[in-house]
Amino acid sequence: MSLTSEQKKTVVASFLGWTLDAFDFFLLTFLLTDIAAEFHTDVPAVSKALFLTLATRFIGAFLFGMLADKYGRKPLLMLNIVSYSVIGALAAFSPNLGIFLALRALFGIAMGGEWGLGSSLAMESIPPSARGMVSGILQCGYPAGYLLAAVVYGLLYGQKIGDFTFGWRAMFLLSLVPALIVLFIRSHVPESPAFVSGRAQARPGLLVTLQKHWGIALYAVVLMMFFNFFSHGTQDLYPTFLKKQHGFDPHTVSWITIVANIGAIVGGLAFGALSEKIGRINAITLACVIALPAIPLWAYTTTPFMLALGAFIMQVAVQGAWGVIPVHLNELSPGSVRATLPGFIYQAGNLAASYGGPYQAGIAEAPGGSYGYALALFAGVVAVCIIVVIRFSPEKRGEVMTVIDREVSPV
């Protein structure tokens, strides 16, 4: 993969933006039981914060994307990162569950903008032959953020510095760290060449584009609904599963989650690159097929080693499929709304899948239920659904990217 210095910096900035965005989101997944204890409630009640974060992300994708299609990818990416950093840190000062949930809903709006802005900036700045690998790199930012959250949780949570104990509130203060990468973006990252070259040209807005391409947009939202069930259904409650069902301590939970996210990074990179050779659709299909035989090992074994092995294989599959999504959605999207449409579709799918966390927790804690059963049910059903639905997708590998509107093949 041959990239110029500026292109490499653009990819690094987009990767870090998504990594630290995910870091903020996944900190919560390690702290559900602790927050529930402090606010005198149960895990399903606190897990509504996951629902609210996911449900509001489409608002951010729409707002930040529309502004980026008008004013540029770079300035809005900087504003977006500062927004999610500050709002994420404010959760540390929540006096009650209601305020905490409201802040996580606002965090979702800010979080929702980053993916579309970062992926459009990167995909419009690199040569077509590098898109598969870069897509995998960008999407690996998500498990990298999860891995970082696992490392920080394992190293810091419960530690004492004098009279200060590193509890859940202090963990959320770490959300301020991502704001520092704005300095790097401002100094080293250029604006998207496609945006710069097409800035003076009249381009149709989002509503006009959706009317013209409603079939592919609706199809992509359904696809992303299943994809978000796939990722969040296998990730968000896994630390809770390890703690509540198996009674593992924070250190064990941390290292199993780290192993899982190493698998996710391997999968994202491998399948992103593989998609350049066998196509986006075939790469996604293969990844989902791999998830099915991993389910018994991942959800029903009992030792830390076997659970970690299962989690590694499962996340190779899950994030392997996801590693193709940044390039696939950008290639499917009309250029005039590329900062808006891929992110909006992604987050609209998130909205459709947003109640998955509380629903899973409800299944797990119902009489006769378990977290292992809830996780396995979601993973198996959704993997099969993606295998079926992705076969109807257009294959646009290598599509030329400009900001001038172009036709998209109907589904």
Side-chain angles (χ1 to χ4, degrees):
M1 183 176 68
S2 179
L3 300 178
T4 66
S5 176
E6 286 189 339
Q7 289 170 340
K8 290 176 181 177
K9 290 175 181 176
T10 299
V11 172
V12 168
S14 300
F15 171 82
L16 289 176
W18 193 221
T19 297
L20 296 172
D21 201 345
F23 168 76
D24 282 3
F25 175 81
F26 281 112
L27 276 177
L28 174 60
T29 68
F30 290 93
L31 304 170
L32 291 173
T33 54
D34 305 277
I35 297 170
E38 177 155 341
F39 291 144
H40 307 291
T41 186
D42 55 19
V43 170
V46 179
S47 70
K48 289 179 181 176
L50 299 173
F51 156 66
L52 290 168
T53 301
L54 298 178
T56 56
R57 276 163 62 166
F58 84 101
I59 301 173
F62 178 77
L63 293 177
F64 284 100
M66 289 281 284
L67 291 170
D69 278 323
K70 185 174 182 179
Y71 298 109
R73 293 28 169 157
K74 176 181 173 179
L76 268 298
L77 181 60
M78 292 191 293
L79 175 63
N80 184 250
I81 292 171
V82 171
S83 297
Y84 76 65
S85 297
V86 172
I87 296 170
L90 288 175
F93 303 99
S94 302
N96 54 55
L97 181 60
I99 298 297
F100 179 80
L101 293 177
L103 286 170
R104 295 309 289 180
L106 290 175
F107 173 78
I109 294 175
M111 184 181 186
E114 201 287 333
W115 188 91
L117 301 181
S119 64
S120 61
L121 177 61
M123 291 300 162
E124 290 177 349
S125 301
I126 60 173
S129 61
R131 285 188 204 143
M133 177 58 76
V134 169
S135 178
I137 291 172
L138 293 184
Q139 198 56 39
C140 280
Y142 204 62
Y146 196 175
L147 188 152
L148 182 60
V151 170
V152 170
Y153 176 76
L155 292 177
L156 295 182
Y157 191 75
Q159 297 298 313
K160 290 188 176 182
I161 303 175
D163 295 329
F164 175 77
T165 300
F166 225 96
W168 72 264
R169 294 182 184 274
M171 298 291 282
F172 280 110
L173 289 176
L174 296 173
S175 297
L176 289 171
V177 174
L180 297 176
I181 69 170
V182 169
L183 301 175
F184 173 79
I185 295 173
R186 192 178 191 285
S187 301
H188 298 285
V189 177
E191 181 56 88
S192 155
F195 176 82
V196 172
S197 65
R199 178 180 286 161
Q201 302 179 36
R203 291 172 276 150
L206 178 63
L207 293 180
V208 173
T209 304
L210 285 175
Q211 288 175 348
K212 188 177 181 181
H213 304 293
W214 67 269
I216 190 68
L218 181 61
Y219 165 80
V221 169
V222 173
L223 178 66
M224 295 316 298
M225 175 187 71
F226 287 124
F227 260 88
N228 281 292
F229 274 133
F230 200 30
S231 58
H232 292 287
T234 58
Q235 295 169 340
D236 295 2
L237 291 180
Y238 205 67
T240 303
F241 158 69
L242 296 173
K243 287 194 286 186
K244 293 200 72 171
Q245 189 161 318
H246 292 285
F248 295 146
D249 58 39
H251 175 75
T252 304
V253 172
S254 174
W255 79 256
I256 292 175
T257 309
I258 288 170
V259 170
N261 283 284
I262 291 173
I265 292 170
V266 170
L269 293 175
F271 281 89
L274 184 63
S275 74
E276 286 295 338
K277 298 180 179 180
I278 67 173
R280 317 305 186 201
I281 296 167
N282 289 335
I284 289 171
T285 301
L286 178 60
C288 291
V289 168
I290 292 173
L292 296 173
I295 291 173
L297 192 63
W298 169 71
Y300 289 110
T301 52
T302 57
T303 66
F305 177 81
M306 295 303 290
L307 287 165
L309 179 61
F312 179 90
I313 298 171
M314 177 59 74
Q315 291 307 319
V316 166
V318 172
Q319 290 303 322
W322 265 102
V324 187
I325 287 298
V327 64
H328 189 50
L329 288 188
N330 274 273
E331 287 175 336
L332 290 179
S333 296
S336 60
V337 291
R338 192 172 293 116
T340 309
L341 194 58
F344 181 76
I345 286 171
Y346 175 6
Q347 305 303 355
N350 241 327
L351 173 63
S354 59
Y355 204 71
Y359 184 65
Q360 269 187 302
I363 293 174
E365 301 211 350
S370 71
Y371 278 90
Y373 169 71
L375 291 165
L377 178 66
F378 263 62
V381 171
V382 174
V384 172
C385 288
I386 293 175
I387 291 169
V388 173
V389 173
I390 194 61
R391 305 312 301 179
F392 293 92
S393 176
E395 177 66 67
K396 291 287 181 177
R397 177 176 34 158
E399 185 80 5
V400 175
M401 289 189 182
T402 68
V403 294
I404 303 170
D405 200 8
R406 55 182 173 79
E407 292 295 327
V408 179
S409 302
V411 179

